[in-house]
């Protein structure tokens, strides 16, 4: 893969920040990145179709509410255009996507109880520290990999938290 289309929501700071980090890292791998804004379904379809006309491309779908809202369409586009894709949410992989790597979605809910306890005991919410995720999940869909003609190295499979066959 020498090209990646990055589907992101430019209306949220995370969308801009995620793209900037991807762009920075991609240059060290000699991968050209192209942003695709995910505001409008028609625009997503047109831009992914246009991107897929050239070889050696893949998708990176950043984390956002809009990505989740358009999940089935994004999965359909990736399959239709035979684009390997990386997602930030395992729901994409269980829906037929190739790979997801992102923060565990359950762990923050478990730790929220301690924050509620501290607030109920009188601490001000503004004084509580912001906590970054500490647990990440790697999910791989081998059926999708096979459909794309890809072989997932055994070292990657061994590190996966979830492998869908």
């Amino acid at each position: 893969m020498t090209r990646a289309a990055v589907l992101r929501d430019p209306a949220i700071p995370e969308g801009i920040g995620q793209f900037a980090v991807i762009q920075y890292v991609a240059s060290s791998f000699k991968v050209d990145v192209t942003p695709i804004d995910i505001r409008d379904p028609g625009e997503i379809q047109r831009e992914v179709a246009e991107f897929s006309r050239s070889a050696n491309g893949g998708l990176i779908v950043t984390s956002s509410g809009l990505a989740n809202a358009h999940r089935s369409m994004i999965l359909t586009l990736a399959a239709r255009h035979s684009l390997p894709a990386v997602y930030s949410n395992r729901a994409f992989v269980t829906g037929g996507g190739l790979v997801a790597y992102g923060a565990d979605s359950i762990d923050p809910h478990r730790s929220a109880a301690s924050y509620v306890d501290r607030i109920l005991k009188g601490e001000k919410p503004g004084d509580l520290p912001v906590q970054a995720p500490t647990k990440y999940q790697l999910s791989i869909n081998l059926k999708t990999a096979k459909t794309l003609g890809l072989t997932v190295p055994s070292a990657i499979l061994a590190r996966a938290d979830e492998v869908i066959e």
Side-chain angles (χ1 to χ4, degrees):
M1 191 179 96
T2 58
R3 303 175 319 107
V6 179
L7 279 69
R8 52 91 187 252
D9 182 353
I12 60 173
E14 293 88 347
I16 296 166
Q18 290 169 353
F19 179 74
V21 170
I22 292 166
Q23 192 172 32
Y24 177 77
V25 172
S27 65
S28 66
F29 290 101
K30 295 183 175 41
V31 173
D32 293 324
V33 293
T34 303
I36 294 179
D37 296 339
I38 57 173
R39 291 179 288 223
D40 174 70
E43 182 181 11
I44 299 168
Q45 291 177 1
R46 283 188 303 279
E47 292 198 35
V48 169
E50 175 68 29
F51 177 82
S52 70
R53 289 190 182 113
S54 297
N56 302 321
L59 299 178
I60 299 172
V61 181
T62 62
S63 176
S64 76
L66 279 177
N68 287 330
H70 298 306
R71 180 174 48 232
S72 68
M73 180 188 63
I74 292 168
L75 289 167
T76 298
L77 289 169
R80 179 183 305 146
H81 298 291
S82 299
L83 293 168
V86 177
Y87 307 93
S88 63
N89 183 323
R90 74 174 283 282
F92 282 91
V93 175
T94 59
L98 178 61
V99 174
Y101 184 72
D104 182 326
S105 61
I106 303 297
D107 198 44
H109 297 290
R110 288 186 184 123
S111 63
S114 67
Y115 271 66
V116 171
D117 181 55
R118 291 170 70 179
I119 293 167
L120 291 174
K121 288 180 179 174
E123 288 190 55
K124 295 179 183 174
D127 293 341
L128 296 175
V130 175
Q131 293 187 350
T134 57
K135 185 177 178 187
Y136 292 83
Q137 288 186 312
L138 173 62
S139 301
I140 302 169
N141 188 320
L142 288 179
K143 181 179 177 185
T144 303
K146 184 177 180 181
T147 300
L148 292 169
L150 301 173
T151 302
V152 180
S154 58
I156 301 294
L157 290 174
R159 291 183 177 181
D161 297 291
E162 177 179 30
V163 177
I164 298 170
E165 298 187 53

